[in-house]
Amino acid sequence: ITKMPLLHKSFNSCSRWGVDHGVGNKKVVLKFSKSQEQYSRELNARENVQLDDQYIIPFVAKYNAIENRAFRDEAELKGYGAYKYLIVTESGNRNLKSAIQNEYFAGIDGALVRQYTREMFAAVAHLHNQGLCHCDIKPTNLVFHMDRLKLADLGASARFSHAETVGKSKLNYSYTCPELAQVYMDRIARRRKDGLEDCEEEDARKDIDPLTSATDIERLTYANDGEKLQEDGAYTADPAMDMWSVGAVLFNMCVGEPLFLSNFEDGLS
């Protein structure tokens, strides 16, 4: 693990730069996670779907503290004991969010926007051709690797070819399609109504306007979406979800600002 700043931190996970000494000191990204669901979804996509490294950031290794005592002990020793799961992938040199913020092409350099858009479309098309939805497309999950924009982080992915439902992990409201964001808000409203209290729920509430009550949220619920919305609030994966996110990313590149603003925890601002 390098001493460089965190790449990303949320309630469930944190990502850091690292070096793989076993393969010539190759630069890698280590994603530590508390969520078994995110870990399992990433592995499910990596192991059961034929992914092309031309479009998806290559996988390096996996570690599970429940099954791997050596990993658990070392994680605890280095201050990562709260995270039971680790996915290691090859590292790009920057993500699209960083490029938009620091390279001043967004809304200015139309040729570059078109190039990145074509590469994004190609990566998403590759996933969809394999029957897989990414379900969390956003600038931080689009990474420049080997001079090409590729998709990273499959921890929210689901196979629409197998009618899998989208996970219960918190998603980025700025880029998530409205109906999926609504599912998450409805879940929070139900838990409030049931009086369920836990750390994750408390963390999620920080992302909702404190002036908005559970009743207000419930009033926004889409009615009669019975084909896709399940009784437990799960939502069957559909390629259209990714296409909404692709459109939101394209807007970001064309305008220089996100379609909707969000905070560091990905909550809608």
Side-chain angles (χ1 to χ4, degrees):
I1 300 175
T2 68
K3 294 183 179 180
M4 295 177 67
L6 281 170
L7 282 167
H8 178 74
K9 182 175 176 61
S10 65
F11 177 77
N12 274 324
S13 64
C14 72
S15 298
R16 301 206 71 122
W17 298 109
V19 175
D20 188 346
H21 299 290
V23 287
N25 295 332
K26 178 182 288 188
K27 194 175 180 181
V28 296
V29 169
L30 300 94
K31 181 183 177 182
F32 294 90
S33 178
K34 301 176 185 177
S35 170
Q36 183 181 18
E37 180 190 17
Q38 291 181 12
Y39 177 78
S40 297
R41 284 178 180 271
E42 178 100 28
L43 292 185
N44 182 46
R46 298 283 185 177
E47 296 175 352
N48 297 318
V49 179
Q50 292 185 337
L51 300 178
D52 191 332
D53 291 349
Q54 180 181 358
Y55 305 109
I56 311 299
I57 293 292
F59 174 80
V60 175
K62 62 179 180 179
Y63 297 92
N64 182 338
I66 298 174
E67 300 172 356
N68 187 330
R69 183 172 181 177
F71 166 68
R72 182 188 66 197
D73 292 345
E74 186 167 357
E76 290 178 352
L77 181 65
K78 294 185 177 179
Y80 294 90
Y83 301 98
K84 293 183 172 62
Y85 309 98
L86 172 64
I87 295 286
V88 184
T89 63
E90 290 188 16
S91 170
N93 53 33
R94 67 200 190 285
N95 59 39
L96 184 59
K97 180 179 180 179
S98 175
I100 290 172
Q101 292 177 338
N102 301 308
E103 297 173 18
Y104 307 108
F105 73 89
I108 298 173
D109 191 336
L112 207 52
V113 169
R114 286 193 291 273
Q115 176 187 330
Y116 294 162
T117 299
R118 283 194 295 267
E119 293 173 355
M120 174 174 61
F121 282 175
V124 174
H126 170 64
L127 278 188
H128 290 179
N129 288 338
Q130 303 301 318
L132 186 70
C133 281
H134 188 281
C135 299
D136 194 21
I137 295 173
K138 56 189 177 184
T140 52
N141 284 340
L142 286 156
V143 177
F144 292 94
H145 177 266
M146 304 292 288
D147 298 321
R148 185 182 181 91
L149 196 60
K150 302 181 182 181
L151 281 167
D153 191 354
L154 302 176
S157 62
R159 291 184 294 175
F160 65 86
S161 59
H162 288 60
E164 291 180 352
T165 56
V166 178
K168 296 183 179 180
S169 300
K170 181 165 68 68
L171 302 173
N172 186 308
Y173 292 131
S174 291
Y175 299 93
T176 298
C177 60
E179 58 269 35
L180 192 54
Q182 189 66 50
V183 167
Y184 186 76
M185 294 175 72
D186 291 343
R187 185 177 297 129
I188 292 174
R190 284 197 301 275
R191 292 183 68 85
R192 283 180 174 176
K193 182 184 257 186
D194 295 340
L196 297 176
E197 303 285 344
D198 57 43
C199 294
E200 185 171 4
E201 197 62 47
E202 188 62 34
D203 182 77
R205 290 177 191 178
K206 296 175 184 176
D207 293 336
I208 292 183
D209 185 338
L211 299 179
T212 303
S213 68
T215 303
D216 294 331
I217 295 172
E218 289 171 331
R219 199 173 290 131
L220 298 172
T221 302
Y222 291 119
N224 301 321
D225 194 14
E227 291 184 4
K228 294 183 179 179
L229 193 59
Q230 312 297 320
E231 289 184 0
D232 62 354
Y235 199 87
T236 305
D238 190 302
M241 297 175 180
D242 284 347
M243 295 315 297
W244 170 279
S245 302
V246 163
V249 173
L250 179 56
F251 179 94
N252 199 168
M253 286 196 287
C254 289
V255 177
E257 296 288 342
L259 183 60
F260 300 107
L261 298 177
S262 64
N263 61 22
F264 188 67
E265 280 286 326
D266 291 341
L268 197 62
S269 175

